[in-house]
Amino acid sequence: MSTAVVVEAPGEHRLVPHEPRRPEPGEALVRVHATGICGSDREVYQGNRPEGYVRYPLTPGHEWSGTVEAVGAGVPASLVGRKVVGEGFRNCQVCDRCHAGETTLCTDGYEETGFTQPGAMAATLTLPARLLHVLPDDADLTAAALLEPAACIAAAAIKARALPGEKVAVVGTGTLGMFAVQFLKAGSPSELLVVGTRNDREALSRQFGATDFRTRDQELPDNFDVVIETAGSASAARTAASLLRRGGRLVLTGIPAAGADGLDPTDLVVRQLEVHTVFGAPPDAWSHTVRVFGAGLLDPLPLVTHELPLAEFSAAIDLVGSGDPKVGKVLLKP
């Protein structure tokens, strides 16, 4: 029998029978191959996701890959059988931000797969077909399950506008940090520094293209053109800003705990730093990610350390929050 994970309320979940929902006009039914778990899924389970950004009861799962099984009216039948990933934000398509391609800023309000709409921790997922991105026929669907976090970092890389020959850096060595290294490496930087808190991430950072690795307690430079922060702490944001030359470009992707001290506005103004932030991935970042993945320039598989069945949802959540350096990306498979 097919099953799905349902989080009834913070700290309460159950495995329930799953019946695929027939796609309505404009929709597609996807057979889920794998679903990734990240810190925001843990927030959903623990109940500390910001108000308005979760709706219980809920089937989580916003990082996923799968194969199209059926489509509704108005959707090309040629999609059936294709390997796909999909955008999470359920944007309205008609507001000024959506028309500008900034779907994560949709003025109609926040709706996202796995947070306010049913997610992929189930045998199947039915969603608007316009959100799908088709993968090459030979794509590895286990690797593709990580393309959602990769797309968020692609959004950061686009905003960073790193030019060939510039000095670039990444602060943070988790999944997002390792994707940031790969995207920045593809732009041919003269230097690519990774700054983290764990020495055991140096080898993987260099495998993905880093030319230097340092921990935050070591002496750090202050002459970089571009820095992408992925660690999700106020101290990481300040470290990232300190790496920049005057006029440098900073992109923040991590979300610290509420009430965290931020960057020094005097420092930002005097050094004329350009600061951007990323929350989710708009369509151009998704398209960029799928192209880079299809070209073989993005390698998610070394980040996957655990693959578990849906029935072990609680164990997977515990793994993600364990702090164990041997735990990387955890995937659930129906």
Side-chain angles (χ1 to χ4, degrees), residues 153 170-182 194 208 228 230-231:
I153 293 301
V170 174
V171 175
T173 58
T175 298
L176 295 180
M178 294 301 95
F179 278 133
V181 174
Q182 294 183 63
V194 174
F208 286 142
I228 295 179
T230 68

Side-chain angles (χ1 to χ4, degrees), residues 30-237:
V30 176
R31 175 67 56 179
V32 176
H33 174 80
T35 305
I37 297 181
C38 80
S40 55
D41 296 303
R42 233 175 132 249
E43 290 175 352
V44 167
Y45 186 64
Q46 293 178 329
N48 51 15
R49 188 160 171 83
E51 185 177 354
Y53 289 86
V54 64
R55 188 182 301 136
Y56 301 101
L58 172 72
T59 293
H62 62 288
E63 305 177 1
W64 58 269
S65 63
T67 304
V68 177
E69 281 206 344
V71 296
V75 179
S78 58
L79 272 180
V80 175
R82 298 302 304 271
K83 296 177 179 180
V84 294
V85 289
E87 298 176 33
F89 282 77
R90 306 292 185 92
N91 53 294
C92 76
Q93 293 188 286
V94 296
C95 72
D96 60 344
R97 292 301 89 208
C98 285
H99 279 302
E102 298 175 332
T103 54
T104 61
L105 298 174
C106 177
T107 60
D108 195 42
Y110 171 77
E111 295 286 342
E112 185 176 3
T113 300
F115 297 106
T116 63
Q117 297 288 332
M121 291 186 189
T124 68
L125 173 65
T126 303
L127 75 167
R130 61 183 171 79
L131 299 177
L132 298 179
H133 289 262
V134 178
L135 302 170
D137 291 337
D138 61 352
D140 184 321
L141 282 177
T142 299
L146 276 68
L147 292 189
E148 192 278 339
C152 294
I153 293 301
I158 290 170
K159 288 189 174 185
R161 308 186 319 278
L163 300 174
E166 287 194 311
K167 300 173 68 169
V168 302
V170 174
V171 175
T173 58
T175 298
L176 295 180
M178 294 301 95
F179 278 133
V181 174
Q182 294 183 63
F183 275 112
L184 290 174
K185 175 62 177 177
S188 301
S190 61
E191 295 182 37
L192 204 176
L193 167 68
V194 174
V195 178
T197 59
R198 293 167 40 188
N199 282 310
D200 63 300
R201 298 297 273 185
E202 179 173 1
L204 192 58
S205 298
R206 291 187 182 276
Q207 176 183 327
F208 286 142
T211 59
D212 192 8
F213 181 95
R214 304 189 194 187
T215 54
R216 284 195 234 167
D217 56 355
Q218 292 179 289
E219 183 178 353
L220 298 176
D222 60 1
N223 60 344
F224 276 66
D225 300 292
V226 169
V227 178
I228 295 179
E229 177 276 327
T230 68
S233 69
S235 62

